[in-house]
Amino acid sequence: MLEEFLKKLVSYLKVPKAEIVLLLEKDHFISRLSIGVGERNGIVLPKNNALVQHFEKHPDEILERDYLAYLVPKEEHRKEELLNLHKELDKLGYALAVPITVKRVIIGILFLGEKISRDIFSSQDIQLLEIVGKHAGPVIESARLFEQTQQLNKELLTANQAKSHFITIVSHQFRTPLSAIRMNAELLEDNLKKRFLSAVDETESVQIIQERAIFMVNMLENVFDGMAIDAHKVSVDKKPAVIWEIFDNVKKEISREIEKRRINFILDKSPELLQEIDIDIPKITKVVKILLENAASYNKEGGIIEVKMNKVTDEEKRFIQCSVKDEGIGVPPEDANKIFEKFYRSPNAMNLVPNGTGLGLFIAKNFVELHGGKLWVASQPGQGSTFYFTLPED
């Protein structure tokens, strides 16, 4: 898929060569794919390279060799920096460098040779490459994670029966988002030539690409978390935090889904729960995100999500108990325990939301139990669900 994309880009821009380097090792960017560079060794850039350091500071800035040469006599205060960047591009034999980012963090660089016609890159070319730099990152990251998953599967093929189940889920779940990404990317590419889309339609296509890429990254993160749990390689790193602040932050993160389904979100910020408790913040944040995303996805249109927190005592130990209540499809009694098993999804849940790995609640339950707490559900089909979890107060 990456090679096909690079071939189309080279053809569209009419350049003889291109190369993508990715952060494949801790401190080095290494050539991952190239077109038209012959038999020479691929690029290897350390993190202290001038180009890498520039993109770490300016993740949205495309570097053009000829424009850098033009700027040198005009910006005396940046003369040495600009000369170094120009020298690096010249040494590598490329005319253009485009940062590839995920959440403004550089994960790779796209290098392009000068145009066959010797023309400069147009403003339309630069706009296209800005889109590529910003939105190719999540897709490349997903593809890289998928490759890692395939490699892990080869190594663990004989480990247990869950492996075949895992492959089935991943391949099925990737097909739809990858098709959406490809279709919308091709639509945007055609639009650059023919200009038949409105600005609103362009934005919608970019959003679809971004959403599908994020879905794949999140899905793979769940897969890796599930595998780490199976291998008993998960530990907790506790730091002080206020629980309702985590709920508040996650609510903001998924606000688009909540607003789209016109869901009324109620968060009970009890004054008595303002004190901090020691938790692994990323892991409990993931627990909260899983529960709130499920409450939004399986809720009725215009329904309510109600979050409550209170203090409870169990066997003389004090806990903070959190509950997430929705007005959705509910959980059949026979599935109340099964939904916390790896890969299991209730039939009614699969009918409403076909996409999913069946790993979310399995991960959430294990992360809560690592803290010494519990996670369970109270529900009736068609009457919504309330998920409860507890965390030790001290």
Side-chain angles (χ1 to χ4, degrees):
M1 181 178 175
L2 188 58
E3 184 176 5
E4 183 182 349
F5 156 75
L6 194 58
K7 285 179 179 177
K8 286 186 176 182
L9 190 64
V10 164
S11 174
Y12 174 74
L13 294 174
K14 294 180 173 58
V15 296
K17 62 179 181 178
E19 193 162 356
I20 291 177
V21 300
L22 297 176
L23 183 59
L24 296 178
E25 295 182 7
K26 186 176 180 182
D27 296 315
H28 288 83
F29 286 77
I30 299 174
S31 179
R32 182 66 176 83
L33 181 65
S34 59
I35 292 177
V37 300
E39 297 298 320
R40 70 160 175 80
N41 291 331
I43 295 172
V44 177
L45 299 177
K47 288 199 77 174
N48 62 359
N49 175 271
L51 292 170
V52 174
Q53 290 186 332
H54 178 83
F55 287 139
E56 285 179 342
K57 294 178 183 176
H58 309 284
D60 300 320
E61 189 172 300
I62 292 175
L63 293 178
E64 191 172 358
R65 186 181 59 195
D66 292 343
Y67 187 62
L68 288 170
Y70 168 78
L71 287 177
V72 167
K74 295 181 176 294
E75 298 194 18
E76 190 66 30
H77 65 291
R78 295 181 64 201
K79 184 175 182 178
E80 184 177 351
E81 175 195 357
L82 296 171
L83 281 171
N84 283 337
L85 294 171
H86 183 277
K87 180 181 176 181
E88 284 295 328
L89 280 173
D90 208 37
K91 183 171 69 175
L92 295 171
Y94 286 109
L96 207 73
V98 182
I100 299 171
T101 60
V102 175
K103 295 182 179 179
R104 295 183 58 79
V105 174
I106 180 172
I107 66 159
I109 303 172
L110 166 63
F111 291 100
L112 295 165
E114 64 181 26
K115 291 200 170 194
I116 296 171
S117 64
R118 303 282 177 170
D119 291 338
I120 64 170
F121 287 89
S122 67
S123 60
Q124 190 179 41
D125 294 336
I126 299 299
Q127 287 174 2
L128 168 63
L129 292 170
E130 285 175 347
I131 292 174
V132 168
K134 289 178 182 177
H135 299 290
V139 177
I140 290 173
E141 192 75 354
S142 296
R144 184 162 61 177
L145 287 170
F146 185 53
E147 287 178 3
Q148 292 172 359
T149 304
Q150 288 180 313
Q151 181 61 34
L152 283 171
N153 179 64
K154 289 176 183 177
E155 295 172 359
L156 301 172
L157 192 59
T158 59
N160 56 52
Q161 191 177 4
K163 228 44 90 244
S164 60
H165 198 169
F166 158 72
I167 296 170
T168 302
I169 288 175
V170 170
S171 61
H172 172 73
Q173 297 302 329
F174 263 56
R175 192 173 293 116
T176 301
L178 281 174
S179 298
I181 288 170
R182 180 173 181 176
M183 181 183 70
N184 282 278
E186 290 177 351
L187 183 65
L188 287 170
E189 181 185 28
D190 290 342
N191 183 57
L192 286 169
K193 301 174 185 176
K194 302 174 185 177
R195 285 292 171 198
F196 56 85
L197 289 178
S198 67
V200 173
D201 289 334
E202 281 185 340
T203 301
E204 185 179 346
S205 290
V206 170
Q207 285 176 342
I208 290 172
I209 291 173
Q210 187 177 31
E211 287 174 359
R212 298 302 187 273
I214 290 171
F215 168 80
M216 290 191 292
V217 171
N218 288 341
M219 189 184 74
L220 281 172
E221 284 179 354
N222 281 350
V223 169
F224 291 134
D225 282 338
M227 293 175 72
I229 290 167
D230 280 343
H232 305 289
K233 292 184 178 180
V234 183
S235 58
V236 292
D237 179 18
K238 293 184 178 182
K239 294 179 182 177
V242 178
I243 296 295
W244 71 256
E245 288 182 351
I246 292 178
F247 274 96
D248 212 25
N249 291 335
V250 173
K251 178 213 168 186
K252 292 172 185 174
E253 190 177 337
I254 66 168
S255 59
R256 187 172 176 182
E257 177 67 17
I258 289 173
E259 291 167 3
K260 185 166 69 175
R261 306 199 70 234
R262 297 183 294 106
I263 290 170
N264 183 21
F265 190 96
I266 302 169
L267 175 57
D268 177 15
K269 298 179 182 179
S270 175
E272 66 172 358
L273 294 172
L274 292 178
Q275 92 268 17
E276 295 178 328
I277 63 170
D278 289 335
I279 58 171
D280 186 314
I281 297 172
K283 288 182 175 61
I284 297 304
T285 297
K286 180 145 194 171
V287 171
V288 170
K289 188 175 181 182
I290 288 167
L291 295 180
L292 291 187
E293 284 183 338
N294 283 353
S297 297
Y298 299 112
N299 214 331
K300 67 181 183 182
E301 193 85 12
I304 291 174
I305 295 176
E306 185 176 6
V307 175
K308 289 185 177 181
M309 282 162 272
N310 60 290
K311 294 183 178 183
V312 297
T313 302
D314 184 12
E315 296 180 356
E316 298 184 355
K317 285 193 68 175
R318 292 180 301 174
F319 293 84
I320 289 180
Q321 179 175 287
C322 307
S323 64
V324 178
K325 181 181 180 181
D326 64 58
E327 296 180 330
I329 59 175
V331 179
E334 63 272 19
D335 288 340
N337 293 321
K338 290 181 181 178
I339 59 173
F340 298 104
E341 296 175 4
K342 186 172 57 175
F343 298 131
Y344 185 81
R345 298 188 70 209
S346 292
N348 62 339
M350 293 178 67
N351 289 336
L352 183 64
V353 183
N355 293 327
T357 59
L359 285 171
L361 291 174
F362 169 76
I363 292 167
K365 185 174 186 289
N366 276 273
F367 281 1
V368 168
E369 289 176 351
L370 279 170
H371 285 75
K374 298 177 182 178
L375 172 62
W376 70 98
V377 65
S379 180
Q380 288 294 327
Q383 298 179 27
S385 303
T386 303
F387 283 84
Y388 299 87
F389 70 91
T390 57
L391 295 169
E393 196 173 12
D394 46 29

